[in-house]
Amino acid sequence: MIKQDTAPSFLCPLAPLLPLWQDYLLAQRGLSPQTVASYGQDLENFFLFRQELAQGEAVSPQPDEQEVFLYLAWLRARQNTGRTLARRLSALRAFFDFAVQENAIKNNPAQLLDNPKLPQHLPEVLSRDEMESLLARPDLRDRGGQRDRCILELLYAAGLRVSELCDLCLPDLDLQRGLVRVFGKGAKERLVPLHDLMQNMLENYIRDWRPAFSPTGNQLFVNRSGRALTRQYIWKMVKKYALEAGIRRPVSPHTFRHSFATHLLEGGADLRAVQLLLGHADISATEIYTHVQAERLRSIHRKFHPRSQM
């Protein structure tokens, strides 16, 4: 990380704004520490580019649109993917907006630059049979299996992100009304209903199995030391049970979220309702699941229509 007291003069007045901007993202925007750290790395990458650029020519204290364009070319020359370019340009744009707000620069030089066009990849979705097989993997004879089964069921029942699941605390559950309160990206709050089976499973876990872990706090799911589970543990646990279920395709906690949305739409759910359940700010993020649904229907048609066999 480029430290403020050692930053070259051509970085000023922007370099000192980086920690202020990160504090703003944490405190006012409510972004997670991991997201804020990633944004900080993106900005440090831009500062590194400015250092290299300054070795060959004069660099003004305030970046302009041409310099940002050169930065994108610099990233491409280093084999950065389109997705990485889009993320780093987005971080720059947000940082420059903050710099304008703080009167450090007059205009945002990244404002008018378009993001690179990204290929659209349909999310990986499990079939209903695959999901049933995966959910049945944990051994319910011990506390670890009971907890893991509850985690898998909740990921599928509520379409949670893995970070949302790890952050769940006991007060977030209203099992009498069958609701779970979720804090998503940007600390946005949403209420997600739970089906009866999930309610009963959570009540059983909280009453009979969670105390066996000797929890040290209010987190719903804890490890053998009584502390909150990490995202890494959930990832490894999901992969383990997917292999035991004979699923050879890549499976992650987010696969449960994709499957949750796709299965709801297949069952006739309204797209707007699925948007609210997922906590998407823009419905365009939810529309990807209609493409998944259409592609699965085409696959079934190609496989089973008698004329497609000819």
Side-chain angles (χ1 to χ4, degrees):
M1 180 172 181
I2 298 176
K3 297 181 180 178
Q4 181 173 336
D5 56 351
T6 60
S9 60
F10 63 82
L11 289 181
C12 298
L14 298 183
L17 285 180
L18 179 54
L20 297 177
W21 179 58
Q22 290 178 298
D23 289 342
Y24 163 78
L25 295 176
L26 283 169
Q28 297 191 38
R29 293 285 305 280
L31 301 186
S32 70
Q34 294 83 5
T35 300
V36 172
S38 295
Y39 281 170
Q41 291 171 2
D42 289 335
L43 263 296
E44 289 171 13
N45 188 266
F46 176 68
F47 291 157
L48 175 63
F49 159 75
R50 297 206 87 207
Q51 283 179 307
E52 291 193 12
L53 189 64
Q55 294 173 5
E57 57 184 274
V59 177
S60 65
Q62 297 188 356
D64 55 21
E65 185 174 320
Q66 182 176 359
E67 184 177 315
V68 178
F69 184 81
L70 289 174
Y71 172 58
L72 295 179
W74 182 80
L75 290 174
R76 287 192 181 94
R78 281 154 180 75
Q79 307 302 315
N80 283 263
T81 64
R83 194 169 299 279
T84 300
L85 262 65
R87 191 195 71 234
R88 289 190 163 157
L89 179 57
S90 177
L92 267 186
R93 191 178 290 121
F95 176 70
F96 288 145
D97 275 341
F98 179 77
V100 171
Q101 178 182 322
E102 295 294 310
N103 296 317
I105 56 177
K106 294 181 180 179
N107 301 300
N108 185 335
Q111 191 64 50
L112 300 179
L113 290 176
D114 293 329
N115 282 336
K117 292 188 180 296
L118 301 177
Q120 189 178 59
H121 298 291
L122 295 182
E124 194 70 46
V125 174
L126 297 178
S127 69
R128 298 188 183 194
D129 287 342
E130 287 174 327
M131 183 62 74
E132 289 294 334
S133 178
L134 199 160
L135 294 175
R137 292 303 102 191
D139 185 351
L140 301 183
R141 291 174 296 181
D142 64 21
R143 60 178 182 170
Q146 289 282 347
R147 178 203 57 199
D148 291 353
R149 173 65 181 272
C150 207
I151 288 173
L152 297 177
E153 289 278 1
L154 189 55
L155 285 171
Y156 181 47
L160 301 181
R161 301 178 179 93
V162 64
S163 57
E164 294 171 347
L165 182 131
C166 291
D167 291 341
L168 278 182
C169 293
L170 292 176
D172 297 325
L173 297 176
D174 184 350
L175 296 181
Q176 288 187 341
R177 294 195 297 163
L179 295 172
V180 57
R181 181 177 58 174
V182 182
F183 293 94
K185 291 183 177 180
K188 292 180 180 177
E189 180 182 342
R190 69 183 190 275
L191 291 175
V192 182
L194 302 173
H195 53 70
D196 291 344
L197 176 63
M198 189 73 255
Q199 287 178 248
N200 293 334
M201 194 172 293
L202 282 169
E203 288 174 351
N204 179 61
Y205 163 74
I206 293 170
R207 182 186 64 246
D208 299 334
W209 298 99
R210 184 176 175 275
F213 291 95
S214 301
T216 59
N218 268 339
Q219 282 81 13
L220 177 60
F221 297 112
V222 296
N223 59 25
R224 296 184 184 277
S225 299
R227 299 184 181 90
L229 291 178
T230 64
R231 294 180 300 166
Q232 289 76 15
Y233 174 85
I234 305 296
W235 276 74
K236 291 178 181 178
M237 183 260 288
V238 165
K239 291 182 180 297
K240 168 193 168 186
Y241 290 128
L243 287 174
E244 290 180 6
I247 303 171
R248 302 306 172 196
R249 294 179 287 119
V251 178
S252 73
H254 220 65
T255 307
F256 285 74
R257 182 171 165 87
H258 295 322
S259 303
F260 165 82
T262 303
H263 295 171
L264 282 176
L265 290 172
E266 288 177 347
D270 177 76
L271 188 65
R272 291 283 183 184
V274 175
Q275 177 193 2
L276 292 174
L277 291 172
L278 292 174
H280 286 160
D282 191 334
I283 198 169
S284 62
T286 315
E287 287 174 342
I288 185 66
Y289 298 110
T290 63
H291 300 306
V292 174
Q293 186 183 15
E295 181 57 35
R296 292 182 69 178
L297 290 174
R298 280 193 291 270
S299 176
I300 292 171
H301 185 275
R302 285 194 296 268
K303 184 175 181 179
F304 295 108
H305 193 282
R307 300 295 286 178
S308 71
Q309 309 299 319
M310 297 178 64

